[in-house]
Each structure stands twice: as C-alpha cells, then as structure tokens.
Amino acid sequence: MQGEDSMAKINIEKNIVFYGEKNEWKGAHIAADSVRQDMYYIFREKPKRREELGQSVKTAVIYGTIGKSRWIDELEKQGALNLEKVRGKWEVYQFQIVKNVFPQVENAIVIVGSDKRGTIYGLYHLSELLGVSPLIHWNHVWPAKRDSIVLDESANVTTKEPSVRYRGFFINDEWPAFGTWAEKHFGGINAKCYAQIFELLLRLKGNYLWPAMWASNFSLDGPGLASAQLADDMGVVMGTSHHEPCMRAGVEYGMMRGKDSPYGDAWSFLENEKGISKFWEDGLKRNALFENVITMGMRGENDTAILEKESTVEENVKLLRNVLRTQNRLIRENVNCNLAKVPRVMVLF
C-alpha cells in the first residue's frame, strides 16, 4: 500500500490552465468557464482556458468527452487512463490526477466524461473539492480565499451511473417570487435568467427541468428558442408540465387560438381534433432537435376536466386513448420513428 508521502499530489493555484479541445461539447466549455470563475473567487485570479497544447505549464485541468477528445484518446493509449468503467455509460465521469501528462504539461487533473453531462458533472466536482457550494450564486455562500489547494490521489474517482435517469425540478406558479427575481435581474424570464437555473441544476447533478408555465412561454420568451437552445447546449433535458403536451406551453394556445387560426378556437380534442393535432405537431417540430422528455396526455383548460362532469369514466378513458394514439403518431412522424428511443412522460391526476 502506498504511504501518504508517496501519493501523487497536485497543487492548484491561480496559474493552473484549463485545456478543452475546440471539438468538445459547448456545455463542457460553459461548465469549465463556471469553474474558472469559482477559482477567481478563491485565488483572486481567473485561470486561462486554452483549446490547444502550447507553451509548457506546470499544472493543468484537462477535460474531455470520450469520442470527442484526441487528448483523452492519447492518454488512454499510453495507459495513463483506464476508461473501461466510463465508456458507453450514462452521465459517468472519471476524475484522476496524472503526472507527466504531455511534454507541455507536467501535472494534470484529467476529467473524462462518458457523455456531455458526464464531463460537465466532472468539472463541477472539481469545484466541490475546492470548497465551492452549488448555491454559490444564490445564497452568497462564497468560498474561502486561498493561495493554493492541494489534492492527492484520494480525490481520484470513477462514478457510477445514476439510479434515477432524469432528476430535476419544476418552476411552478412562478409569480411573484421567481418572476420578480427574473424581472429585477434579467429583464424577464428569458435565456439569461435560465442560464442561472441550468447551472444550479447541473451543479446539483440534476439534468431535467420543467420551466415556468403560469404566464411564461419557454420556447418563445428566450427570446425565441434561445432558452431551449441554451438548455440543449448546457446539457439540460427539457420537459413541459403536467398539462402541457408535446413541448407547448399552456399559455401558447391562448395566444394562438382564434376563429381563423390553424389551431382552431377550442381546447377540446372532441370539438377541435384537427386544430389541436396541428398545434401539437408544430410544437414537436419546433423542439425536435433538442434533448427533451415529451409530456403526453391532455387536460382541460385551467386545470379543469377534459370532459364535462356528466361524462362517464369509460368516455374519459376512450378520449384519452385517442389523444395518446394521436400524440404517439405525431412523435413518430416528427421526432423519431422509433418511439422506444423517445423519452415520454404521462402525468394523470
């Protein structure tokens, strides 16, 4: 067994350099920049980030996702990394101190993700080891100022796949609290506002969000798709709430309904099947390229019943089956012909 003095150690200070290749996921670069900002609070200077190995450095953070990083491929080929427990997994990362990494890099913390979120979680794990709270931007929980922090091999870890695939929260009834905060700091519930929410979610190792929905429209208020695009870039899986099927916010139908609207003027699958189906279809097309969990089913407007109170259970079940059959068809036609590959959720109450 190695003694404490023989363990590989790495000294983290303001001169550390982050290396992430240009081809890396945009979300990993965003997370790396967040960690660099964390280090600014600790060391009073923000480390540099580079996309190419250049001048020699003593200490570095090298991050990359399997299949997107030639540096990671090279380290594995050299035998410096064993990625058997990482490759092909869901949201797994390996965090490892490596000595004499490359001719240009003497010592490095190497962070390898099995996928986009694996790499992102690995980067935020570094912040945790440095004493940074996930709530750093929320409760003014600032990390202690230091000149340097030493990590040794006891920090090395290879995580396991999460036991719960999708983990997150729902911004419900956003006024006055959330909405007031967004208006004051970001001018509204928009992409700038959601950037803060996404970062918090990822620091907490979450991955799934139902956005504000009471009077908000996630896919229009970015402005436009800016919030949805940012979520996808950062690695956040988006859904919609319990009565907002097919990636369309509840307030959207109220904005677009009307006598001459292609969506008709009745939130009723019995009275307006063609218009409602078109409304769902356009929502699926609009958000198809992003990583989503699609909410299915249907409820009446403003949390009311889908049918009148006098209807029977059998009539409600029949209508809901028709709704689900239509939604599955639209998903096959506009998202993926293999429904088994499309995450969906049905919330009935």
Side-chain angles (χ1 to χ4, degrees):
M1 178 180 291
Q2 283 188 318
E4 183 178 343
D5 292 339
S6 65
M7 295 180 72
K9 297 180 181 180
I10 194 165
N11 191 45
I12 303 172
E13 54 187 3
K14 63 184 180 181
N15 293 325
I16 196 168
V17 178
F18 280 65
Y19 288 100
E21 293 174 76
K22 185 176 182 179
N23 187 51
E24 183 53 55
W25 292 108
K26 185 174 182 180
H29 291 316
I30 293 172
D33 290 342
S34 295
V35 177
R36 290 169 55 231
Q37 184 63 36
D38 292 345
M39 289 188 175
Y40 170 80
Y41 298 129
I42 297 171
F43 304 123
R44 299 171 294 281
E45 188 170 319
K46 190 173 183 178
K48 295 180 173 60
R49 175 167 68 83
R50 298 172 181 164
E51 295 179 347
E52 296 290 342
L53 296 173
Q55 64 189 66
S56 297
V57 299
K58 184 176 181 180
T59 310
V61 174
I62 298 174
Y63 61 93
T65 308
I66 292 177
K68 294 186 74 67
S69 172
R70 67 186 188 277
W71 298 335
I72 300 304
D73 291 343
E74 179 62 26
L75 289 172
E76 185 178 26
K77 185 178 178 180
Q78 293 174 7
L81 298 175
N82 181 347
L83 302 177
E84 290 183 5
K85 295 182 179 180
V86 181
R87 181 173 282 102
K89 303 295 185 179
W90 173 265
E91 300 179 347
V92 166
Y93 64 87
Q94 184 167 304
F95 184 100
Q96 185 171 330
I97 295 173
V98 180
K99 309 289 283 187
N100 303 315
V101 189
F102 295 116
Q104 305 95 325
V105 181
E106 185 175 335
N107 306 309
I109 295 170
V110 181
I111 298 170
V112 185
S114 62
D115 51 22
K116 182 196 302 184
R117 279 185 294 276
T119 305
I120 291 168
Y121 293 157
L123 283 160
Y124 283 128
H125 178 67
L126 174 58
S127 280
E128 292 178 29
L129 293 176
L130 300 180
V132 179
S133 167
L135 294 170
I136 180 171
H137 298 303
W138 294 83
N139 287 344
H140 302 291
V141 187
W142 303 112
K145 289 182 170 58
R146 306 278 291 277
D147 291 326
S148 66
I149 296 174
V150 176
L151 296 180
D152 60 33
E153 289 178 349
S154 65
N156 292 351
V157 66
T158 299
T159 60
K160 297 181 180 180
E161 290 185 304
S163 56
V164 178
R165 195 169 181 85
Y166 296 106
R167 313 163 306 280
F169 42 74
F170 173 25
I171 303 174
N172 192 13
D173 292 347
E174 66 267 22
W175 288 95
F178 179 80
T180 301
W181 170 79
E183 287 282 358
K184 178 179 179 180
H185 295 284
F186 307 102
I189 301 176
N190 50 35
K192 292 180 180 179
C193 160
Y194 275 113
Q196 300 295 308
I197 305 299
F198 299 155
E199 181 180 319
L200 173 64
L201 180 66
L202 294 165
R203 284 180 183 269
L204 292 169
K205 305 299 189 295
N207 62 3
Y208 180 42
L209 180 69
W210 281 5
M213 48 69 65
W214 193 9
S216 302
N217 193 320
F218 182 77
S219 292
L220 294 181
D221 296 341
L225 285 172
S227 296
Q229 182 64 63
L230 181 64
D232 199 65
D233 286 342
M234 292 182 69
V236 174
V237 184
M238 294 304 302
T240 45
S241 77
H242 47 292
H243 67 129
E244 299 183 303
C246 297
M247 304 310 300
R248 304 216 73 157
V251 297
E252 280 192 81
Y253 191 73
M255 295 167 55
M256 299 176 180
R257 68 189 300 173
K259 180 180 178 182
D260 299 321
S261 169
Y263 305 135
D265 196 24
W267 183 254
S268 168
F269 199 72
L270 281 178
E271 299 176 21
N272 185 27
E273 179 178 345
K274 183 178 179 180
I276 296 299
S277 297
K278 175 64 174 172
F279 181 71
W280 291 336
E281 180 181 25
D282 287 349
L284 292 169
K285 286 180 177 178
R286 178 186 64 191
N287 294 74
L289 296 180
F290 306 133
E291 191 176 6
N292 303 308
V293 175
I294 299 173
T295 297
M296 301 183 66
M298 188 177 187
R299 297 177 69 193
E301 289 184 288
N302 301 318
D303 289 343
T304 58
I306 191 173
L307 288 175
E308 299 296 331
K309 292 182 179 180
E310 292 76 18
S311 61
T312 64
V313 171
E314 289 75 14
E315 288 172 328
N316 278 271
V317 169
K318 180 180 178 180
L319 177 58
L320 188 56
R321 282 177 173 166
N322 288 336
V323 165
L324 295 173
R325 191 177 295 114
T326 298
Q327 291 171 343
N328 278 327
R329 174 180 61 79
L330 293 172
I331 291 169
R332 282 195 299 267
E333 293 173 352
N334 298 284
V335 179
N336 193 320
C337 60
N338 185 351
L339 277 178
K341 294 185 177 181
V342 181
R344 291 159 291 157
V345 60
M346 181 170 61
V347 186
L348 300 176
F349 64 93

